Structures are given as structure tokens and as C-alpha cells.
Amino acid sequence: MTPHLLDVVVLTCDLPAQGLKRGDLGTVGDLRGPETFVVEFVAASGRTQALVTLGPADIRAVADDDLVTVRPTDTKAS
């Protein structure tokens, strides 16, 4: 997948240090190169949970059959 600025993407791996789990939704906030993207993950309240730099293997496009859910975070991002 080649994400574009402001695309909504799905995390494909757990990132426990940031309180993120596979399947969490994020928004591409910056393109650092063809293989590096800054993705923002927010809580349901709108608070930024994590801002992380990821590669193409770490994210995928949202699919029509994806279901959005809400869950508490395991840890607080610093």
C-alpha cells in the first residue's frame, strides 16, 4: 500500500509501548519518504494516544468489511 497524507490506515502489529494493538485506526500525518510514514492514533475523545513513525509492513488500507470498535488502552503513551 502507498498511503497518502490524511489517509486512515489500520495497524498490522501490536505496539505495546504506545498502548496500540493490531487493528487500531490511525491517520497518516506526514510522509517522510516512500517507505516511512508518521501516523497519529487518537482516543475516542480526540486526545492523541500516539504519534509513531511506521513502515509499509506496519499498516494496511481500511477494508469495506472492517468493523470499528472501542477499547480501553493498556498503557498511557508518554
Side-chain angles (χ1 to χ4, degrees):
M1 121 172 243
T2 303
H4 297 91
L5 193 61
L6 301 180
D7 278 356
V8 176
V9 295
V10 180
L11 187 64
T12 61
C13 58
D14 291 345
L15 298 175
Q18 289 80 20
L20 300 173
K21 291 187 177 183
R22 181 177 183 243
D24 287 346
L25 293 176
T27 302
V28 177
D30 195 13
L31 305 172
R32 296 280 170 93
E35 303 259 329
T36 309
F37 325 105
V38 177
V39 181
E40 181 180 24
F41 295 87
V42 298
S45 66
R47 174 188 52 79
T48 297
Q49 171 69 23
L51 192 62
V52 293
T53 302
L54 301 170
D58 302 320
I59 57 175
R60 67 169 176 82
V62 174
D64 286 338
D65 62 346
D66 286 336
L67 180 65
V68 177
T69 63
V70 175
R71 65 169 181 82
T73 57
D74 292 335
T75 61
K76 299 279 184 193
S78 53

